[in-house]
Amino acid sequence: MAFLKILLLASILGIAIWIGTNTMFPGSPPELDLNEWWGAKDLRGKLDSSIRPFKIKFTDEMIKDLKSRLSNHRKPAPGLEGAAFTYGFNSGRLSWWTRYWSEQYPFLEREQFLNSLPQYVTNIQGLDIHFIRVKPKVSKGVTVVPLLLMHGWPGSVREFYEAIPLLTTQTEGYDFVFEVIVPSLPGYGFSEGAVRPGLGTAQIGVIMRNLMNRLGHKKFYIQGGDWGAIIADAMATLFQGEILGMHSNMLMVENTCSTLKRLVGEFIPSLIVDSHLADRMYPLTKYISYLLEEFGYFHLQATKPDTVGVALSDSPAGLLAYILEKFSSWTRMEHRLKEDGGLTFRFTANQLIDNLMMYWTSNSITTSMRLYAENMSSKNRALDIGRYYSTVPAWALQAKNELFYQPPHMIRSKYSNLLGVTVLDDGGHFIAFEMPKVFVEDVLKAVKAFRQFHKTKTEL
């Protein structure tokens, strides 16, 4: 058995070296069209570059229709005894949530809350992009620095509402504070989706960069989780002279070096990861089983998002079950074993429904899911952004229950200036939403290190 393992390891090493011959030194990153048009063709050349105030509106007509759909949804098939959330959303809990949304969710109060932060819309490359922008009030000697926050799926700008006041208020021990810009990704919430195929994470990175330029920021800091993390990775690769630093709570490097190391660690974990963190990566059979069991949604959305979208945009009960199941398991996987899915472990019912309203009110679930198909298209996979190096200073926040984990040396195979890694013994995929204070503290710590990095570089 030991001989077979050695033979298999040698084979893996040989294959990896062969594959890596043309990928370890890939040269300069690709150059994307910075003006690629994603809106209606007949509007090209008529770009309105104004920045317009925006308010979220829960109209009486929409609320009436929503309540009717929630009250009259078809009763789901009974759940299996003891299955809890292991087969998906526990149908036995559905009526509680639909009743709460219809009868107890305070629509007017939540609309006012969601509008408590200043919001705007501006047209970038043919698409109206919605964003929150909060400028801090500062005292003398305090520097204001721009920070772009990017969400993912099935989240929204709602994830950052508790963190934004903390980011825009000066914290003791820091001589800077953030101007925060939080866009809805194209096709999410109140940002328009593309009218033609091709808008993947790299192209969204271009839109985000152009948005920041529109707002007067030629250089800025970025932060992202989920798709936001992948978009941040693209921006830190394509615009290395403009991104001052990248903080990510799902920083993953996918290149030949990281793949090779991951495979080697299956045989000798101690070479790759500290023993107390080994269970976050190994055994690979556990990781593969997790992918097979939990990533069916990914395959559906990467192949037939519009089919799934028909059901989810027609039924608020279906949308609720589909999205809240992710807030259950992606916060803690063991929540699948709880009858209620542990949904109120870190979130209130109003917080979770606020996020659902971002999708329902805007009818954006279909356009949001298309990002999976666009990013997995042959054209966008060929860009292979992950294999290009970046000198942008980076910082990783690694929650205990995040979907993926990589040790620092794997991340450094792309990010030579990885300045810090924070490993948490708590938290999950939606860390800014779950633990806003912990999230903000880490962003502050990272940006302080980024600023010192640039200061030292300038002095040299």
Side-chain angles (χ1 to χ4, degrees):
M1 183 63 71
F3 173 75
L4 290 176
K5 283 191 173 183
I6 293 171
L7 183 61
L8 182 57
L9 178 57
S11 300
I12 291 171
L13 287 169
I15 293 170
I17 292 170
W18 177 72
I19 293 173
T21 301
N22 295 317
T23 59
M24 289 296 285
F25 305 99
S28 300
E31 293 185 10
L32 273 63
D33 181 356
L34 301 183
N35 299 299
E36 190 167 5
W37 192 259
W38 297 105
K41 289 181 179 178
D42 61 350
L43 294 179
R44 186 157 195 162
K46 304 174 184 178
L47 177 63
D48 177 6
S49 60
S50 64
I51 298 171
R52 311 181 300 278
F54 180 86
K55 291 281 188 183
I56 295 171
K57 294 180 181 179
F58 294 166
T59 65
D60 291 340
E61 182 182 3
M62 181 276 293
I63 294 172
K64 182 179 179 181
D65 174 71
L66 173 59
K67 286 186 173 184
S68 174
R69 291 170 187 261
L70 287 168
S71 300
N72 296 292
H73 74 83
R74 190 177 188 183
K75 188 176 180 180
L80 298 173
E81 292 182 4
F85 270 62
T86 58
Y87 277 63
F89 193 93
N90 182 357
S91 59
R93 293 291 298 174
L94 185 63
S95 61
W96 185 93
W97 281 95
T98 54
R99 278 200 305 271
Y100 186 93
W101 195 357
S102 176
E103 300 172 11
Q104 297 183 53
Y105 180 75
F107 286 90
L108 179 58
E109 178 187 311
R110 299 317 291 173
E111 179 190 68
Q112 292 173 343
F113 169 76
L114 293 173
N115 284 318
S116 65
L117 298 175
Q119 296 168 63
Y120 307 87
V121 168
T122 191
N123 196 279
I124 305 288
Q125 297 168 245
L127 302 179
D128 275 352
I129 301 298
H130 160 260
F131 62 96
I132 294 168
R133 185 184 195 183
V134 182
K135 295 181 179 181
K137 295 178 180 179
V138 297
S139 56
K140 189 176 180 180
V142 178
T143 303
V144 177
V145 299
L147 175 65
L148 175 70
L149 296 175
M150 293 176 286
H151 66 83
W153 187 93
S156 66
V157 296
R158 177 62 185 90
E159 295 178 60
F160 298 108
Y161 268 68
E162 285 74 19
I164 289 171
L166 303 176
L167 290 165
T168 53
T169 302
Q170 188 184 4
T171 300
E172 186 178 352
Y174 296 91
D175 62 355
F176 63 90
V177 68
F178 297 107
E179 173 189 339
V180 174
I181 295 94
V182 191
S184 294
L185 299 182
Y188 286 72
F190 306 101
S191 287
E192 288 184 321
V195 303
R196 63 188 58 85
L199 184 59
T201 50
Q203 293 82 7
I204 292 177
V206 173
I207 291 175
M208 296 295 102
R209 176 259 190 189
N210 288 343
L211 170 64
M212 293 299 282
N213 284 186
R214 173 76 54 83
L215 300 180
H217 300 303
K218 301 298 182 183
K219 293 189 177 185
F220 49 92
Y221 301 94
I222 59 177
Q223 197 290 325
D226 194 85
W227 280 124
I230 299 172
I231 294 165
D233 175 68
M235 295 177 75
T237 304
L238 299 172
F239 307 115
Q240 298 189 34
E242 301 176 44
I243 306 304
L244 294 170
M246 178 189 70
H247 180 280
S248 174
N249 53 283
M250 199 184 81
L251 184 50
M252 291 286 293
V253 171
E254 294 298 334
N255 56 26
T256 303
C257 184
S258 66
T259 301
L260 171 60
K261 287 184 174 181
R262 184 184 296 128
L263 292 172
V264 169
E266 175 67 6
F267 300 93
I268 315 175
S270 59
L271 289 178
I272 304 302
V273 61
D274 291 341
S275 58
H276 68 288
L277 297 171
D279 63 345
R280 298 193 187 190
M281 292 183 70
Y282 301 110
L284 285 179
T285 51
K286 174 185 172 184
Y287 173 71
I288 293 169
S289 295
Y290 160 74
L291 292 181
L292 290 172
E293 185 174 354
E294 294 295 327
F295 271 56
Y297 83 96
F298 192 108
H299 186 70
L300 280 172
Q301 293 172 197
T303 53
K304 308 296 180 187
D306 286 29
T307 301
V308 184
V310 170
L312 301 184
S313 61
D314 189 62
S315 168
L319 181 73
L320 183 155
Y322 198 72
I323 286 182
L324 293 197
E325 182 240 308
K326 300 307 179 192
F327 277 87
S328 168
S329 60
W330 290 0
T331 300
R332 285 191 174 184
M333 288 302 294
E334 56 266 33
H335 283 172
R336 296 179 300 172
L337 304 177
K338 294 175 177 279
E339 288 296 311
D340 65 355
L343 283 165
T344 54
F345 169 71
R346 280 269 159 76
F347 310 110
T348 66
N350 284 347
Q351 285 179 315
L352 292 173
I353 294 175
D354 286 346
N355 184 62
L356 293 176
M357 290 297 289
M358 292 292 187
Y359 286 91
W360 184 261
T361 307
S362 59
N363 193 21
S364 62
I365 187 62
T366 301
T367 51
S368 74
M369 294 189 298
R370 285 178 185 161
L371 180 52
Y372 289 79
E374 303 299 0
N375 217 54
M376 293 302 292
S377 69
S378 56
K379 175 185 175 183
N380 280 324
R381 280 189 287 110
L383 288 175
D384 200 8
I385 294 293
R387 72 190 180 103
Y388 295 96
Y389 298 121
S390 175
T391 58
V392 169
W395 191 287
L397 174 60
Q398 299 174 324
K400 180 179 181 180
N401 301 295
E402 183 51 89
L403 306 181
F404 310 102
Y405 171 79
Q406 284 184 341
H409 60 85
M410 289 178 72
I411 298 172
R412 286 195 180 94
S413 67
K414 170 168 181 166
Y415 287 98
S416 55
N417 292 313
L418 179 66
L419 301 189
V421 173
T422 303
V423 180
L424 299 179
D425 289 326
D426 197 357
H429 187 64
F430 306 98
I431 191 67
F433 204 7
E434 296 171 45
M435 304 170 70
K437 289 183 179 179
V438 171
F439 170 78
V440 169
E441 287 170 3
D442 204 63
V443 171
L444 284 165
K445 191 163 54 173
V447 173
K448 184 176 183 179
F450 298 156
R451 284 165 59 80
Q452 184 60 43
F453 172 85
H454 290 295
K455 181 181 178 182
T456 301
K457 195 174 179 182
T458 301
E459 292 172 349
L460 293 174

